[in-house]
Amino acid sequence: MKSSPEAPQGCIGQRVDLIDTPSLVIDLDAMERNIARMADFARKHQVRWRPHAKLHKSAEIALQLEKAGARGHCVQKVAEAEALAAGGVVNLYISNEVLAATKLLRVARLAAQLAARGGRLALAVDSEEGIARLAEAMAVAGSDAGIDVFVEIDVGQGRCGVPPGPEAVVLAHAVARHARLRFAGLQAYHGRAQHLRGAAERRDAIAEVVRSAAHTRALIEAAGLPVPLVTGSGTGTLVHEAASGVYGELQAGSFLFMDADYARNERDPAQPAFEHALFVKTQVISARATHAVCDAGHKSHAIDSGLPLVHGLPPERALRYANGGDEHGILHPDGPKARLPALGRMLWLVPGHCDPTVNLYDHMIGVRGGLAHGVVERIIRVDARGALT
Amino acid sequence: MKSSPEAPQGCIGQRVDLIDTPSLVIDLDAMERNIARMADFARKHQVRWRPHAKLHKSAEIALQLEKAGARGHCVQKVAEAEALAAGGVVNLYISNEVLAATKLLRVARLAAQLAARGGRLALAVDSEEGIARLAEAMAVAGSDAGIDVFVEIDVGQGRCGVPPGPEAVVLAHAVARHARLRFAGLQAYHGRAQHLRGAAERRDAIAEVVRSAAHTRALIEAAGLPVPLVTGSGTGTLVHEAASGVYGELQAGSFLFMDADYARNERDPAQPAFEHALFVKTQVISARATHAVCDAGHKSHAIDSGLPLVHGLPPERALRYANGGDEHGILHPDGPKARLPALGRMLWLVPGHCDPTVNLYDHMIGVRGGLAHGVVERIIRVDARGALT
């Protein structure tokens, strides 16, 4: 008798139409085109590229990105770093604040383990207490391995980070005082700017972000401390940080799968033409006179950034997905010639937000040859699924 | 090196204040008071009580509910039924439509396995094709074990189910034609009515639901087929179905933990005084001049039914939780005397919707003696976490 967590909904060599539902399917051809576009973009702009693994949560995909030119990976949680390190990733940056003593001891242990494997761990800070606790944990762990520390400044997100300016100078010096802590630069990420719909809005928001980061960097260097790197950016605005001359590293991760929400942005002409590569396969389990019901609800995809799009239908036959609860989606005709899908029909959904969608699955099913006639080539484990601490 | 899925964030005997964050914590005393209130309510109204395990997804809790008087459990997915059966639950009702041949074979195998253990499996249907496919799968499995089949009628939810009336009579007879299929009655659930804010609104909505169910039952019995049971209801409206004389079984599950969203309902005086029993423990990781940031975002709790409430603060010191993305929550003062929580402060959140919140965790940490000074008594596995198919 099968028990949770689930076995993969598909197996290698299986035809796409036989994949069980609901399931999370990667169009490998589309994903690899996105990787090539991003690698090419980073090369042209001569910026480091450290993609955020909070998107895919998979060591296998992280290593594939590093083969294509990515220099290490970002994560948000210590447990995500541990899961990716267990899968062979050795250059990791926890681009977030960590305060609990138990977590900081895990950070110190992981820093030593990665150093022993020729890698490096980095962490973000935004308080003197956070810096002192990190230094104490590194001392308790007792290894000679150091850790890279980025001072986070709030460039408009209104979340973590000190204001750009003098407070960041104080923190940079506080970091530099500790032998095992290396001041690595500034963490400056404006998440909300990624989803401003207008290309000009995003350009103007990032222009201000770049000014703040450059000003703060100048203050720290005027105080006698070099700032090795300014890091941040995301898929929605990377064209601006890449051209800024201030950002030396891009953290964009979503380009790999492309959320439905990113498709709602007015595209900047300089932005690579990333395509949707992650889909939820679903089946119609109830066909009514006024609507159809599929077996993918918000337990199958995250809805924090909007409902999924029904993929692969011509505009005149478009279907609209409405929320039907944890386990159901309600399908309505949207295009002028749209017909309700028949009982048993398979459909493809583009998740509104891929990161938390991936977190709902133990495996992603990698398909080669397209969603219509492809076959399963790889079953990709979501190593950091549920990695919260 | 720890790798995902996570080890529990607490261990048995540990003090509450040492539980790691973010984590999902059950106040066992509150949960057991809720169980006693529900068991007493069902006894008084002489209705069967088959709670929905899609809430807690745990065989251990399901068996605890059965000790208290629950007669079997509902689930929404075949994989949920398999996970609970693997944990010792033998009376299970998949209160949802299943259409895929591979899933129906699993249904047939599970029906045989449960029958061999003295239990019984049930399934809902709303189409002749679904009934024919189920009968075929039962024949292919070849066991003599039968399966209970409920015909689902749409009593206002606008999701699955045939309209109340003649169509249901046709399906009931279609079920009865198959030797291994036993027509068990009507599935009639109005999910949206659970969350109508006014007590009178909910009463009126369920009055209409009850009329539809009674009318459909009468038509089926007039056509010569007994209707053994009408089943449905939820925590928001159970007082009305229980008093209806039509519903013989209540499926309410959320009473066990009580979502923040249910707390927004005007309480019906006849409704047992269920209390919040499930909490997300979180820590403040960044303290800014205008707000504080905690380490629980929408990867730690579902937000489909609204954002979580900050629990345990007097109204004048209330804090408001704002969405800070996958991994962060933003805390603002709300009450007149509210102060921003300090760096490192632990807080308790009441999830807006418990079912999909539980699905984000591998374990629930059961605390005895309250959230202030209690200790960890049990680590409860979320057996059906991620059980989608």
Side-chain angles (χ1 to χ4, degrees):
Chain A
M1 188 178 303
K2 195 175 71 174
S3 83
S4 174
E6 290 215 321
Q9 287 97 322
C11 56
I12 291 169
Q14 187 178 42
R15 276 174 22 225
V16 162
D17 54 309
L18 297 178
I19 295 171
D20 200 6
T21 64
S23 49
L24 195 60
V25 175
I26 299 175
D27 179 334
L28 293 172
D29 305 291
M31 180 182 84
E32 289 165 13
R33 286 191 294 267
N34 287 340
I35 294 173
R37 289 174 183 118
M38 184 64 199
D40 180 56
F41 178 86
R43 242 191 326 273
K44 280 198 185 121
H45 290 81
Q46 298 180 298
V47 286
R48 272 177 60 115
W49 164 42
R50 175 146 57 175
H52 222 302
K54 75 187 277 295
L55 169 77
H56 53 76
K57 301 171 171 62
S58 152
E60 180 180 331
I61 289 179
L63 295 174
Q64 183 175 358
L65 284 159
E66 293 189 3
K67 271 211 194 74
R71 306 261 306 271
H73 279 80
C74 297
V75 295
Q76 287 289 70
K77 293 296 182 102
V78 180
E80 288 179 323
E82 290 167 328
L84 293 188
V89 185
V90 297
N91 284 300
L92 288 160
Y93 170 28
I94 302 165
S95 57
N96 193 9
E97 282 63 26
V98 176
L99 208 78
T102 50
K103 290 187 178 83
L104 287 168
L105 275 175
R106 286 160 52 198
V107 166
R109 278 197 298 270
L110 185 61
Q113 287 158 351
L114 294 182
R117 292 157 61 188
R120 188 86 181 163
L121 184 64
L123 182 69
V125 298
D126 73 354
S127 70
E128 299 204 47
E129 182 169 352
I131 294 163
R133 288 186 180 204
L134 173 62
E136 188 186 351
M138 293 294 289
V140 168
S143 134
D144 295 338
I147 184 166
D148 289 348
V149 179
F150 290 91
V151 170
E152 179 165 13
I153 55 173
D154 181 357
V155 288
Q157 175 76 346
R159 197 167 64 187
C160 301
V162 294
E167 280 189 54
V169 182
V170 173
L171 292 189
H173 281 279
V175 171
R177 270 196 295 279
H178 296 285
R180 292 187 175 88
L181 274 48
R182 171 180 170 269
F183 174 62
L186 295 175
Q187 163 72 20
Y189 175 63
H190 190 341
R192 285 181 307 189
Q194 307 306 314
H195 303 275
L196 294 173
R197 293 300 175 223
E201 287 178 279
R202 295 195 300 278
R203 181 199 61 217
D204 298 347
I206 298 306
E208 182 53 41
V209 164
V210 168
R211 270 190 295 276
S212 301
H215 168 65
T216 307
R217 180 178 64 177
L219 287 179
I220 296 171
E221 295 193 324
L225 202 58
V227 178
L229 187 66
V230 175
T231 180
S233 183
T235 296
T237 66
L238 53 84
V239 296
H240 307 299
E241 286 93 345
S244 68
V246 170
Y247 278 75
E249 181 176 85
L250 305 179
Q251 297 176 5
S254 296
F255 72 88
L256 187 74
F257 292 154
M258 280 306 276
D259 306 341
D261 190 68
Y262 271 122
R264 296 177 188 121
N265 279 2
E266 176 201 355
R267 190 175 145 232
D268 187 298
Q271 161 110 358
F274 300 121
E275 55 196 295
H276 297 306
L278 185 77
F279 303 90
V280 172
K281 189 189 180 196
T282 183
Q283 181 179 37
V284 173
I285 60 168
S286 182
R288 315 269 44 105
T290 54
H291 63 277
V293 184
C294 71
D295 63 2
H298 57 70
K299 207 178 86 177
S300 308
H301 52 260
I303 59 174
D304 57 280
S305 303
L307 294 174
L309 304 172
V310 182
H311 180 76
L313 301 172
E316 69 275 13
R317 297 212 262 107
L319 295 173
R320 183 173 50 81
Y321 178 101
N323 187 354
D326 306 12
E327 306 287 6
H328 301 89
I330 313 288
L331 299 159
H332 297 286
D334 207 18
K337 291 182 180 169
R339 269 186 264 93
L340 282 171
L343 196 63
R345 165 93 178 271
M346 299 295 183
L347 294 168
W348 298 93
L349 306 177
V350 181
H353 188 188
C354 292
D355 310 33
T357 297
V358 170
N359 192 55
L360 297 169
Y361 292 83
D362 293 299
H363 305 90
M364 298 179 279
I365 299 169
V367 165
R368 180 73 65 193
L371 300 181
H373 308 293
V375 299
V376 177
E377 180 178 282
R378 295 154 61 188
I379 303 293
I380 298 165
R381 182 164 176 268
V382 182
D383 301 291
R385 197 270 319 146
L388 284 162
T389 62
Chain B
M1 191 178 302
K2 195 176 73 173
S3 84
S4 175
E6 291 216 320
Q9 287 98 318
C11 57
I12 290 169
Q14 188 177 41
R15 279 176 17 227
V16 163
D17 53 310
L18 297 179
I19 295 171
D20 200 6
T21 64
S23 49
L24 195 59
V25 174
I26 299 174
D27 179 334
L28 294 171
D29 304 292
M31 180 183 84
E32 288 164 13
R33 287 191 294 269
N34 287 340
I35 294 173
R37 291 175 182 119
M38 183 65 200
D40 180 58
F41 179 86
R43 241 190 330 272
K44 280 199 184 120
H45 289 80
Q46 298 180 300
V47 285
R48 271 177 61 114
W49 166 42
R50 177 147 54 177
H52 222 302
K54 76 186 276 294
L55 169 75
H56 54 76
K57 301 170 170 63
S58 152
E60 180 178 331
I61 290 179
L63 295 174
Q64 184 174 358
L65 284 159
E66 292 188 5
K67 273 211 192 76
R71 306 263 304 273
H73 279 80
C74 297
V75 295
Q76 287 289 70
K77 293 296 180 104
V78 180
E80 288 180 324
E82 290 167 327
L84 293 188
V89 184
V90 298
N91 284 299
L92 288 160
Y93 170 28
I94 303 165
S95 58
N96 193 10
E97 282 64 26
V98 176
L99 207 77
T102 50
K103 291 189 179 81
L104 286 167
L105 274 175
R106 286 159 53 198
V107 166
R109 279 198 296 270
L110 186 60
Q113 287 157 352
L114 294 181
R117 292 157 63 190
R120 187 87 179 163
L121 185 63
L123 182 68
V125 298
D126 73 354
S127 69
E128 299 205 47
E129 182 167 352
I131 294 163
R133 289 185 180 204
L134 172 63
E136 188 186 351
M138 293 292 290
V140 168
S143 133
D144 296 338
I147 184 167
D148 288 348
V149 180
F150 289 91
V151 169
E152 180 166 11
I153 55 174
D154 181 357
V155 287
Q157 176 76 345
R159 199 166 64 187
C160 301
V162 294
E167 280 189 55
V169 181
V170 173
L171 292 187
H173 280 277
V175 170
R177 269 196 295 279
H178 296 283
R180 292 187 175 87
L181 274 47
R182 171 179 169 269
F183 174 63
L186 294 174
Q187 163 73 19
Y189 175 62
H190 190 340
R192 286 181 305 190
Q194 307 305 314
H195 303 276
L196 295 172
R197 293 300 175 222
E201 288 178 279
R202 295 196 300 279
R203 181 200 61 217
D204 297 347
I206 299 306
E208 182 53 40
V209 164
V210 168
R211 271 191 294 276
S212 300
H215 168 67
T216 307
R217 180 178 66 179
L219 288 177
I220 296 171
E221 295 193 323
L225 202 57
V227 178
L229 187 66
V230 175
T231 181
S233 184
T235 296
T237 65
L238 54 84
V239 296
H240 306 301
E241 286 94 345
S244 68
V246 170
Y247 278 75
E249 180 176 87
L250 306 180
Q251 297 176 6
S254 297
F255 72 88
L256 187 73
F257 291 153
M258 280 306 275
D259 307 340
D261 190 68
Y262 271 122
R264 298 178 187 119
N265 280 0
E266 175 200 356
R267 190 175 145 231
D268 188 298
Q271 162 110 358
F274 300 120
E275 56 196 297
H276 297 306
L278 186 76
F279 303 90
V280 171
K281 189 189 180 195
T282 184
Q283 181 179 37
V284 173
I285 59 167
S286 182
R288 315 268 44 105
T290 55
H291 62 276
V293 184
C294 71
D295 63 1
H298 57 69
K299 207 179 88 178
S300 308
H301 52 259
I303 60 173
D304 58 279
S305 302
L307 296 173
L309 304 173
V310 181
H311 180 75
L313 301 173
E316 69 276 11
R317 293 189 188 289
L319 295 172
R320 182 172 51 80
Y321 178 102
N323 187 355
D326 305 13
E327 306 287 7
H328 301 89
I330 314 287
L331 298 160
H332 297 286
D334 207 19
K337 292 183 181 169
R339 270 187 262 91
L340 283 171
L343 197 61
R345 165 91 178 273
M346 300 294 185
L347 294 168
W348 297 93
L349 306 176
V350 181
H353 188 188
C354 292
D355 309 33
T357 296
V358 170
N359 192 56
L360 298 169
Y361 292 82
D362 293 299
H363 306 90
M364 297 179 280
I365 298 170
V367 165
R368 180 73 65 194
L371 301 182
H373 308 292
V375 297
V376 177
E377 179 177 284
R378 295 155 61 186
I379 304 292
I380 299 166
R381 183 163 175 270
V382 183
D383 302 291
R385 196 270 320 146
L388 284 161
T389 64

